[in-house]
Amino acid sequence: MAPFTRESDMPPMVSLSICIPTRNRQGYCIETMRAIAGSGERDFEVIVADNSDDPAPLRQAFDSFSDHRFRLVAPQGRVLSMVDNWERLIPETAGHWISVIGDDDYIDPAVGGLIRRFEGLRPDVEAIGWGRMNFHWPDNRPVPTLASVPTGAGCWASDRVDLQDRLFRWSEGRSRPSCGFGIYHGAVRRTLMERIRQTYGGRYFEHPVVDYDSNCKVVAEARSLLYCERPFSVLGECAASNSASALSLERLKVLVETFKTESASDLIRANPDFPFTLFEAGASLCVSIAATTVWFCRKYGIDLTGFEANFARAAMDECRYSPSLEAYEAKVANIRAGFAAWDGGRWADLFEPAPFNAPKTVNALSGVMEDMIHLREDRLRVTTPGEFYRYAEHAIMPVGHVVAGTRSFVT
């Protein structure tokens, strides 16, 4: 299962390469591989880049795994930063299209049918996005949690100018800019990935917040972007995932220290254009995403008009959803310090978060709200993202209908 070293060693081109970078989460990764292997699709490959301290578990798993669609890229003898582990994946792929998921996630290889349909409709399409389900692994439920399933199935061509306004200038003023396009839980045409490498410093990925690094470059460069509301992947959240910090302040502290230790880049350590710390107890995903988009826009000369006020609104939105008073106070103090140092405090008055308001009930009810099904996870009889995807498929548009164009395509 060693990586191919010569072009002649490469397998025939396939439609889709699914990449899974992993570090010290071998059990989750093996479950993800098993779930994907259950697909009857043939026109895809899975490349796993192991960056773990102990290479034995995944090596043993692959030794007993006879599926030719899967290949292992072994550890390099030293710990790679996350961005470097992602970087080494792309040259190993043989697909016309490339997607990256986390080792605790799931993707349905049937998304290849959606890709082929979109290529037929728009031969110039270079980036494809789709809806994502959300699922907490059983070990990541310190409070009651909800899984979520988008119910839509419409497809449309996205306006790149609007996407850039949302991603670069945070025009929505929400804690996460809604982008939907990038290599993480999306598909990017290989030719676009090569153009990105040639345009942006000879690398596919530069910033340690790798998923948003990709979002920025895809939205800046893609000529045509198509989106399907129907979910084809699951964002899994295990206890060791970055997103687990949203549920536990203690977990956030551990993740921050790990991120600081394992990031080989100084890009996020000292950013005078955006002096918000990522390494304190009040660090937030909102700040880390904004630090990435600001870095990208400053480096590559993209207009940021309006970003400051929009980010203040986004930061206040982030504070609203703090899980506890302690987490709220730490986050507000961290963000307030950043505003005080930013442009000499020019934007500090814009950050006025509402007082902490403890929720009366926490994820107590299942139901449908705003085209999303929410399900109490303590009532579910599934334990992995792959199992949850198959369970949730009973409530959404069948893949075959979407791929056949049963739902209209909106330009």
Side-chain angles (χ1 to χ4, degrees), residues 280-313:
E280 301 297 336
S284 74
L285 293 175
C286 177
V287 168
S288 67
I289 295 168
T292 310
T293 61
V294 169
W295 161 82
F296 178 78
C297 292
R298 296 292 191 202
K299 181 172 183 178
Y300 294 107
I302 294 174
D303 177 30
L304 279 170
T305 301
F307 167 77
E308 296 86 358
N310 292 335
F311 176 69
R313 292 191 293 133

mmCIF file of all heavy atoms in Angstrom, residues 280-313:
data_model
loop_
_atom_site.group_PDB
_atom_site.id
_atom_site.type_symbol
_atom_site.label_atom_id
_atom_site.label_comp_id
_atom_site.label_asym_id
_atom_site.label_seq_id
_atom_site.Cartn_x
_atom_site.Cartn_y
_atom_site.Cartn_z
ATOM 1 N N GLU A 280 -5.444 31.160 23.292
ATOM 2 C CA GLU A 280 -5.880 31.394 24.660
ATOM 3 C C GLU A 280 -7.153 30.605 24.918
ATOM 4 O O GLU A 280 -7.770 30.052 23.996
ATOM 5 C CB GLU A 280 -6.133 32.895 24.899
ATOM 6 C CG GLU A 280 -4.916 33.775 24.663
ATOM 7 C CD GLU A 280 -3.764 33.477 25.604
ATOM 8 O OE1 GLU A 280 -4.025 32.947 26.692
ATOM 9 O OE2 GLU A 280 -2.613 33.765 25.237
ATOM 10 N N ALA A 281 -7.577 30.575 26.178
ATOM 11 C CA ALA A 281 -8.758 29.801 26.543
ATOM 12 C C ALA A 281 -9.994 30.264 25.789
ATOM 13 O O ALA A 281 -10.899 29.483 25.531
ATOM 14 C CB ALA A 281 -9.000 29.890 28.054
ATOM 15 N N GLY A 282 -10.056 31.531 25.429
ATOM 16 C CA GLY A 282 -11.223 32.062 24.736
ATOM 17 C C GLY A 282 -11.115 32.012 23.233
ATOM 18 O O GLY A 282 -11.887 32.669 22.527
ATOM 19 N N ALA A 283 -10.155 31.252 22.702
ATOM 20 C CA ALA A 283 -10.023 31.137 21.256
ATOM 21 C C ALA A 283 -11.309 30.573 20.673
ATOM 22 O O ALA A 283 -12.024 29.806 21.307
ATOM 23 C CB ALA A 283 -8.846 30.235 20.906
ATOM 24 N N SER A 284 -11.599 30.961 19.440
ATOM 25 C CA SER A 284 -12.853 30.526 18.836
ATOM 26 C C SER A 284 -12.640 30.152 17.381
ATOM 27 O O SER A 284 -11.706 30.618 16.724
ATOM 28 C CB SER A 284 -13.908 31.643 18.931
ATOM 29 O OG SER A 284 -13.617 32.676 18.003
ATOM 30 N N LEU A 285 -13.530 29.314 16.861
ATOM 31 C CA LEU A 285 -13.482 28.942 15.459
ATOM 32 C C LEU A 285 -13.728 30.154 14.575
ATOM 33 O O LEU A 285 -13.142 30.279 13.499
ATOM 34 C CB LEU A 285 -14.513 27.854 15.178
ATOM 35 C CG LEU A 285 -14.253 26.500 15.825
ATOM 36 C CD1 LEU A 285 -15.408 25.544 15.560
ATOM 37 C CD2 LEU A 285 -12.958 25.891 15.312
ATOM 38 N N CYS A 286 -14.592 31.048 15.017
ATOM 39 C CA CYS A 286 -14.876 32.273 14.261
ATOM 40 C C CYS A 286 -13.591 33.064 14.019
ATOM 41 O O CYS A 286 -13.313 33.504 12.895
ATOM 42 C CB CYS A 286 -15.890 33.111 15.022
ATOM 43 S SG CYS A 286 -16.302 34.701 14.282
ATOM 44 N N VAL A 287 -12.796 33.240 15.059
ATOM 45 C CA VAL A 287 -11.553 34.002 14.941
ATOM 46 C C VAL A 287 -10.560 33.282 14.041
ATOM 47 O O VAL A 287 -9.880 33.904 13.213
ATOM 48 C CB VAL A 287 -10.953 34.263 16.334
ATOM 49 C CG1 VAL A 287 -9.528 34.790 16.225
ATOM 50 C CG2 VAL A 287 -11.820 35.257 17.107
ATOM 51 N N SER A 288 -10.449 31.958 14.168
ATOM 52 C CA SER A 288 -9.478 31.225 13.346
ATOM 53 C C SER A 288 -9.853 31.283 11.872
ATOM 54 O O SER A 288 -8.981 31.408 11.003
ATOM 55 C CB SER A 288 -9.367 29.774 13.813
ATOM 56 O OG SER A 288 -10.558 29.055 13.568
ATOM 57 N N ILE A 289 -11.146 31.234 11.565
ATOM 58 C CA ILE A 289 -11.584 31.349 10.172
ATOM 59 C C ILE A 289 -11.291 32.745 9.645
ATOM 60 O O ILE A 289 -10.759 32.918 8.536
ATOM 61 C CB ILE A 289 -13.081 31.028 10.048
ATOM 62 C CG1 ILE A 289 -13.335 29.561 10.399
ATOM 63 C CG2 ILE A 289 -13.584 31.335 8.633
ATOM 64 C CD1 ILE A 289 -14.802 29.226 10.595
ATOM 65 N N ALA A 290 -11.618 33.764 10.437
ATOM 66 C CA ALA A 290 -11.380 35.141 10.001
ATOM 67 C C ALA A 290 -9.893 35.411 9.810
ATOM 68 O O ALA A 290 -9.499 36.111 8.867
ATOM 69 C CB ALA A 290 -11.974 36.124 11.017
ATOM 70 N N ALA A 291 -9.065 34.855 10.693
ATOM 71 C CA ALA A 291 -7.619 35.041 10.542
ATOM 72 C C ALA A 291 -7.144 34.483 9.201
ATOM 73 O O ALA A 291 -6.247 35.045 8.558
ATOM 74 C CB ALA A 291 -6.878 34.361 11.693
ATOM 75 N N THR A 292 -7.755 33.392 8.769
ATOM 76 C CA THR A 292 -7.384 32.784 7.494
ATOM 77 C C THR A 292 -7.823 33.642 6.319
ATOM 78 O O THR A 292 -7.048 33.888 5.389
ATOM 79 C CB THR A 292 -8.009 31.379 7.374
ATOM 80 O OG1 THR A 292 -7.714 30.632 8.552
ATOM 81 C CG2 THR A 292 -7.486 30.652 6.152
ATOM 82 N N THR A 293 -9.071 34.097 6.339
ATOM 83 C CA THR A 293 -9.568 34.893 5.210
ATOM 84 C C THR A 293 -8.849 36.235 5.118
ATOM 85 O O THR A 293 -8.546 36.705 4.021
ATOM 86 C CB THR A 293 -11.090 35.091 5.302
ATOM 87 O OG1 THR A 293 -11.428 35.802 6.496
ATOM 88 C CG2 THR A 293 -11.815 33.753 5.299
ATOM 89 N N VAL A 294 -8.546 36.842 6.270
ATOM 90 C CA VAL A 294 -7.820 38.115 6.250
ATOM 91 C C VAL A 294 -6.405 37.912 5.714
ATOM 92 O O VAL A 294 -5.921 38.697 4.886
ATOM 93 C CB VAL A 294 -7.782 38.743 7.657
ATOM 94 C CG1 VAL A 294 -6.799 39.916 7.705
ATOM 95 C CG2 VAL A 294 -9.167 39.216 8.057
ATOM 96 N N TRP A 295 -5.736 36.870 6.186
ATOM 97 C CA TRP A 295 -4.395 36.569 5.668
ATOM 98 C C TRP A 295 -4.419 36.427 4.151
ATOM 99 O O TRP A 295 -3.584 37.002 3.444
ATOM 100 C CB TRP A 295 -3.875 35.279 6.304
ATOM 101 C CG TRP A 295 -2.755 34.662 5.522
ATOM 102 C CD1 TRP A 295 -1.433 35.002 5.556
ATOM 103 C CD2 TRP A 295 -2.874 33.618 4.540
ATOM 104 N NE1 TRP A 295 -0.723 34.237 4.659
ATOM 105 C CE2 TRP A 295 -1.578 33.382 4.019
ATOM 106 C CE3 TRP A 295 -3.946 32.869 4.058
ATOM 107 C CZ2 TRP A 295 -1.339 32.421 3.046
ATOM 108 C CZ3 TRP A 295 -3.712 31.916 3.097
ATOM 109 C CH2 TRP A 295 -2.410 31.704 2.588
ATOM 110 N N PHE A 296 -5.375 35.664 3.645
ATOM 111 C CA PHE A 296 -5.449 35.426 2.202
ATOM 112 C C PHE A 296 -5.698 36.730 1.441
ATOM 113 O O PHE A 296 -5.022 37.023 0.448
ATOM 114 C CB PHE A 296 -6.562 34.424 1.893
ATOM 115 C CG PHE A 296 -6.748 34.165 0.428
ATOM 116 C CD1 PHE A 296 -5.878 33.335 -0.258
ATOM 117 C CD2 PHE A 296 -7.785 34.769 -0.272
ATOM 118 C CE1 PHE A 296 -6.044 33.100 -1.622
ATOM 119 C CE2 PHE A 296 -7.963 34.541 -1.620
ATOM 120 C CZ PHE A 296 -7.087 33.705 -2.301
ATOM 121 N N CYS A 297 -6.640 37.514 1.914
ATOM 122 C CA CYS A 297 -6.987 38.750 1.210
ATOM 123 C C CYS A 297 -5.846 39.761 1.247
ATOM 124 O O CYS A 297 -5.569 40.440 0.245
ATOM 125 C CB CYS A 297 -8.258 39.364 1.806
ATOM 126 S SG CYS A 297 -9.747 38.382 1.507
ATOM 127 N N ARG A 298 -5.154 39.878 2.378
ATOM 128 C CA ARG A 298 -4.011 40.796 2.470
ATOM 129 C C ARG A 298 -2.878 40.349 1.547
ATOM 130 O O ARG A 298 -2.278 41.152 0.841
ATOM 131 C CB ARG A 298 -3.508 40.879 3.908
ATOM 132 C CG ARG A 298 -4.489 41.456 4.910
ATOM 133 C CD ARG A 298 -4.752 42.904 4.692
ATOM 134 N NE ARG A 298 -5.496 43.476 5.808
ATOM 135 C CZ ARG A 298 -6.234 44.579 5.745
ATOM 136 N NH1 ARG A 298 -6.333 45.222 4.583
ATOM 137 N NH2 ARG A 298 -6.864 45.035 6.798
ATOM 138 N N LYS A 299 -2.602 39.044 1.558
ATOM 139 C CA LYS A 299 -1.474 38.542 0.779
ATOM 140 C C LYS A 299 -1.719 38.668 -0.715
ATOM 141 O O LYS A 299 -0.793 38.987 -1.480
ATOM 142 C CB LYS A 299 -1.200 37.087 1.140
ATOM 143 C CG LYS A 299 -0.001 36.504 0.379
ATOM 144 C CD LYS A 299 0.394 35.132 0.885
ATOM 145 C CE LYS A 299 1.632 34.618 0.139
ATOM 146 N NZ LYS A 299 2.074 33.299 0.646
ATOM 147 N N TYR A 300 -2.952 38.465 -1.134
ATOM 148 C CA TYR A 300 -3.235 38.420 -2.567
ATOM 149 C C TYR A 300 -4.063 39.598 -3.069
ATOM 150 O O TYR A 300 -4.619 39.558 -4.163
ATOM 151 C CB TYR A 300 -3.893 37.086 -2.914
ATOM 152 C CG TYR A 300 -2.936 35.931 -2.689
ATOM 153 C CD1 TYR A 300 -3.092 35.067 -1.608
ATOM 154 C CD2 TYR A 300 -1.846 35.730 -3.528
ATOM 155 C CE1 TYR A 300 -2.200 34.021 -1.387
ATOM 156 C CE2 TYR A 300 -0.942 34.697 -3.309
ATOM 157 C CZ TYR A 300 -1.123 33.849 -2.244
ATOM 158 O OH TYR A 300 -0.229 32.817 -2.019
ATOM 159 N N GLY A 301 -4.120 40.666 -2.265
ATOM 160 C CA GLY A 301 -4.674 41.930 -2.734
ATOM 161 C C GLY A 301 -6.155 41.927 -3.016
ATOM 162 O O GLY A 301 -6.621 42.559 -3.979
ATOM 163 N N ILE A 302 -6.938 41.275 -2.170
ATOM 164 C CA ILE A 302 -8.388 41.234 -2.350
ATOM 165 C C ILE A 302 -9.049 42.286 -1.470
ATOM 166 O O ILE A 302 -8.693 42.456 -0.302
ATOM 167 C CB ILE A 302 -8.925 39.834 -2.021
ATOM 168 C CG1 ILE A 302 -8.379 38.831 -3.049
ATOM 169 C CG2 ILE A 302 -10.444 39.796 -2.000
ATOM 170 C CD1 ILE A 302 -8.714 37.397 -2.740
ATOM 171 N N ASP A 303 -10.012 42.997 -2.035
ATOM 172 C CA ASP A 303 -10.698 44.092 -1.351
ATOM 173 C C ASP A 303 -11.419 43.590 -0.100
ATOM 174 O O ASP A 303 -12.176 42.620 -0.147
ATOM 175 C CB ASP A 303 -11.709 44.733 -2.311
ATOM 176 C CG ASP A 303 -12.519 45.848 -1.655
ATOM 177 O OD1 ASP A 303 -11.989 46.500 -0.735
ATOM 178 O OD2 ASP A 303 -13.672 46.053 -2.073
ATOM 179 N N LEU A 304 -11.184 44.260 1.031
ATOM 180 C CA LEU A 304 -11.805 43.889 2.304
ATOM 181 C C LEU A 304 -12.779 44.938 2.813
ATOM 182 O O LEU A 304 -13.145 44.920 3.995
ATOM 183 C CB LEU A 304 -10.718 43.648 3.368
ATOM 184 C CG LEU A 304 -10.043 42.272 3.340
ATOM 185 C CD1 LEU A 304 -8.837 42.256 4.255
ATOM 186 C CD2 LEU A 304 -11.030 41.189 3.743
ATOM 187 N N THR A 305 -13.238 45.830 1.960
ATOM 188 C CA THR A 305 -14.136 46.895 2.379
ATOM 189 C C THR A 305 -15.368 46.331 3.083
ATOM 190 O O THR A 305 -16.064 45.471 2.549
ATOM 191 C CB THR A 305 -14.591 47.724 1.168
ATOM 192 O OG1 THR A 305 -13.441 48.281 0.531
ATOM 193 C CG2 THR A 305 -15.529 48.837 1.607
ATOM 194 N N GLY A 306 -15.611 46.801 4.300
ATOM 195 C CA GLY A 306 -16.770 46.374 5.078
ATOM 196 C C GLY A 306 -16.501 45.202 5.999
ATOM 197 O O GLY A 306 -17.349 44.866 6.840
ATOM 198 N N PHE A 307 -15.325 44.590 5.881
ATOM 199 C CA PHE A 307 -15.058 43.402 6.683
ATOM 200 C C PHE A 307 -15.100 43.707 8.176
ATOM 201 O O PHE A 307 -15.637 42.919 8.968
ATOM 202 C CB PHE A 307 -13.693 42.806 6.322
ATOM 203 C CG PHE A 307 -13.214 41.779 7.319
ATOM 204 C CD1 PHE A 307 -13.747 40.500 7.314
ATOM 205 C CD2 PHE A 307 -12.275 42.098 8.279
ATOM 206 C CE1 PHE A 307 -13.332 39.549 8.243
ATOM 207 C CE2 PHE A 307 -11.845 41.159 9.209
ATOM 208 C CZ PHE A 307 -12.384 39.881 9.196
ATOM 209 N N GLU A 308 -14.553 44.831 8.600
ATOM 210 C CA GLU A 308 -14.409 45.109 10.035
ATOM 211 C C GLU A 308 -15.762 45.107 10.758
ATOM 212 O O GLU A 308 -15.925 44.443 11.791
ATOM 213 C CB GLU A 308 -13.706 46.452 10.233
ATOM 214 C CG GLU A 308 -12.265 46.489 9.717
ATOM 215 C CD GLU A 308 -12.165 46.835 8.237
ATOM 216 O OE1 GLU A 308 -13.224 47.010 7.599
ATOM 217 O OE2 GLU A 308 -11.028 46.936 7.727
ATOM 218 N N ALA A 309 -16.726 45.828 10.219
ATOM 219 C CA ALA A 309 -18.049 45.871 10.850
ATOM 220 C C ALA A 309 -18.741 44.521 10.759
ATOM 221 O O ALA A 309 -19.411 44.078 11.707
ATOM 222 C CB ALA A 309 -18.906 46.954 10.196
ATOM 223 N N ASN A 310 -18.574 43.861 9.629
ATOM 224 C CA ASN A 310 -19.206 42.555 9.466
ATOM 225 C C ASN A 310 -18.609 41.528 10.422
ATOM 226 O O ASN A 310 -19.325 40.692 10.988
ATOM 227 C CB ASN A 310 -19.045 42.072 8.024
ATOM 228 C CG ASN A 310 -19.845 42.899 7.042
ATOM 229 O OD1 ASN A 310 -20.848 43.511 7.405
ATOM 230 N ND2 ASN A 310 -19.404 42.916 5.801
ATOM 231 N N PHE A 311 -17.289 41.591 10.626
ATOM 232 C CA PHE A 311 -16.678 40.640 11.548
ATOM 233 C C PHE A 311 -17.115 40.905 12.982
ATOM 234 O O PHE A 311 -17.296 39.963 13.769
ATOM 235 C CB PHE A 311 -15.151 40.675 11.463
ATOM 236 C CG PHE A 311 -14.513 39.769 12.480
ATOM 237 C CD1 PHE A 311 -14.613 38.396 12.367
ATOM 238 C CD2 PHE A 311 -13.848 40.300 13.576
ATOM 239 C CE1 PHE A 311 -14.065 37.561 13.324
ATOM 240 C CE2 PHE A 311 -13.287 39.470 14.540
ATOM 241 C CZ PHE A 311 -13.398 38.086 14.408
ATOM 242 N N ALA A 312 -17.304 42.170 13.355
ATOM 243 C CA ALA A 312 -17.798 42.474 14.702
ATOM 244 C C ALA A 312 -19.159 41.818 14.926
ATOM 245 O O ALA A 312 -19.421 41.231 15.989
ATOM 246 C CB ALA A 312 -17.884 43.981 14.901
ATOM 247 N N ARG A 313 -20.020 41.882 13.927
ATOM 248 C CA ARG A 313 -21.328 41.221 14.041
ATOM 249 C C ARG A 313 -21.154 39.708 14.154
ATOM 250 O O ARG A 313 -21.854 39.043 14.923
ATOM 251 C CB ARG A 313 -22.204 41.551 12.831
ATOM 252 C CG ARG A 313 -22.655 43.002 12.765
ATOM 253 C CD ARG A 313 -23.718 43.204 11.697
ATOM 254 N NE ARG A 313 -23.220 43.007 10.355
ATOM 255 C CZ ARG A 313 -23.828 42.273 9.421
ATOM 256 N NH1 ARG A 313 -24.948 41.642 9.697
ATOM 257 N NH2 ARG A 313 -23.304 42.167 8.210
#
